[in-house]
């Protein structure tokens, strides 16, 4: 029944969420804005520009567009400094086996990420080969929870939304999948991602067969 799998990147395939957090935290400290791991949940899945706006909201601050661009570029430089040094061991456990197995079973596979650094990360971690389509922050104009990124992925794969399963670690991404008429697997628990159709803590020991069986229940 399902023909295509669409994966978010940060926090689903690779452990980059921690580097986003560290980089935003450094910037927040510089700007004197309190910023916690809980605040960081709101940053997951949303664009860099939107993250900058949320940070300013958290600090009750306003800033000119030019300054916002300056600071979000600065955050990105800090972030890219970390991801350039990532090793293949930072692919999350079980991910490579899961992708290999799904590919061998004939599923079409796409990336659906807000990140403009997606290609750099996939190349760096030797994951690019698994993807039939890569939709990232350089290709979409509307951020999750808008379904654009996943609908574009389904279209590039030549599949219908109802034939797609989305894997997401962010509330905005689960909402985007549903808005696009797709099933959403939450990487995490039901407390953090109450809207997901099913949950897995990660990919270790999980196969696409398990996922399909769970979705059918
Ligand atoms: C998403 C992350 O995948 O990409 C967000 O969950 C991030 O936290 C967004 O803001 C944009 O990433 P980048 O790499 O273009 O700054
Ligand atoms: Mg994510």
């Amino acid at each position: 029944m399902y023909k295509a799998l669409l994966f978010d990147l940060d926090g689903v395939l690779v452990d980059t969420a921690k580097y986003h957090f560290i980089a935003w935290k450094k910037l927040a400290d510089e700007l004197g804005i309190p910023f916690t791991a809980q605040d960081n949940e709101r940053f997951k899945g949303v664009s860099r520009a939107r993250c900058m706006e949320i940070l300013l909201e958290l600090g009750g601050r306003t800033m000119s567009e030019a300054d916002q661009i300056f600071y979000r570029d600065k955050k990105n430089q800090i972030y890219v400094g970390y991801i350039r040094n990532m090793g293949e061991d930072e692919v999350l456990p079980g991910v490579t086996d899961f992708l290999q197995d799904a590919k061998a079973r004939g599923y079409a596979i796409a990336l659906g990420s807000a990140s403009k650094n997606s290609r750099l990360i996939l190349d760096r971690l030797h994951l690019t080969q698994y993807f039939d389509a890569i939709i990232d922050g350089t290709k979409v104009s509307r951020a999750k929870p808008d379904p654009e990124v996943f609908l574009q992925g389904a279209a590039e794969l030549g599949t219908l939304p109802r034939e797609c399963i989305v894997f997401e670690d962010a509330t905005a991404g689960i909402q985007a999948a549903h808005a696009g008429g797709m099933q959403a697997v939450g990487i995490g628990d039901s407390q953090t991602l109450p809207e997901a159709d099913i949950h897995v803590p990660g990919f270790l020991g999980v196969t696409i067969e398990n996922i399909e069986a769970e979705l059918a229940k």
Side-chain angles (χ1 to χ4, degrees):
M1 166 187 177
Y2 297 105
K3 294 183 179 163
L5 311 179
L6 285 77
F7 294 87
D8 174 47
L9 176 68
D10 296 317
V12 171
L13 301 178
V14 290
D15 198 6
T16 39
K18 64 182 181 205
Y19 297 131
H20 277 298
F21 176 61
I22 295 169
W24 281 119
K25 177 76 182 144
K26 278 197 180 172
L27 194 73
D29 288 350
E30 185 181 326
L31 293 170
I33 297 173
F35 182 60
T36 65
Q38 201 187 339
D39 295 329
N40 187 57
E41 283 301 309
R42 289 178 65 194
F43 283 49
K44 291 187 179 174
V46 304
S47 70
R48 199 182 310 160
R50 181 65 196 130
C51 290
M52 187 70 222
E53 288 171 4
I54 299 172
L55 185 68
L56 293 171
E57 278 169 36
L58 288 169
R61 299 263 287 273
T62 55
M63 196 181 261
S64 70
E65 180 63 17
D67 283 351
Q68 288 189 41
I69 291 171
F70 171 81
Y71 281 112
R72 68 188 193 227
D73 282 354
K74 190 165 186 180
K75 179 269 168 180
N76 193 52
Q77 280 165 24
I78 302 169
Y79 177 66
V80 169
Y82 285 109
I83 61 176
R84 278 200 195 290
N85 289 314
M86 275 195 313
E88 274 178 73
D89 57 331
E90 287 174 78
V91 175
L92 284 164
V95 162
T96 307
D97 285 347
F98 187 91
L99 291 172
Q100 257 163 13
D101 175 63
K103 207 152 183 63
R105 289 175 190 276
Y107 288 88
I109 298 178
L111 189 85
S113 167
S115 175
K116 293 184 168 146
N117 295 300
S118 293
R119 280 185 180 272
L120 172 65
I121 296 168
L122 291 180
D123 286 349
R124 169 107 211 132
L125 301 179
H126 303 123
L127 291 175
T128 310
Q129 53 177 319
Y130 297 107
F131 292 88
D132 304 298
I134 295 176
I135 317 299
D136 64 16
T138 65
K139 287 194 179 172
V140 294
S141 52
R142 293 187 301 277
K144 300 169 187 175
D146 189 286
E148 183 184 17
V149 68
F150 294 132
L151 291 175
Q152 212 173 304
E156 273 201 31
L157 296 176
T159 52
L160 297 170
R162 63 178 154 79
E163 297 169 328
C164 297
I165 303 173
V166 169
F167 296 86
E168 260 292 350
D169 71 322
T171 297
I174 301 288
Q175 291 169 343
H178 286 159
M182 303 174 187
Q183 293 289 319
V185 177
I187 308 300
D189 57 35
S190 55
Q191 223 177 339
T192 327
L193 300 170
E195 294 170 50
D197 297 299
I198 61 166
H199 301 85
V200 287
F203 290 98
L204 197 61
V206 176
T207 65
I208 186 58
E209 269 189 315
N210 305 147
I211 298 285
E212 287 227 21
E214 279 297 309
L215 284 172
K217 278 183 188 167

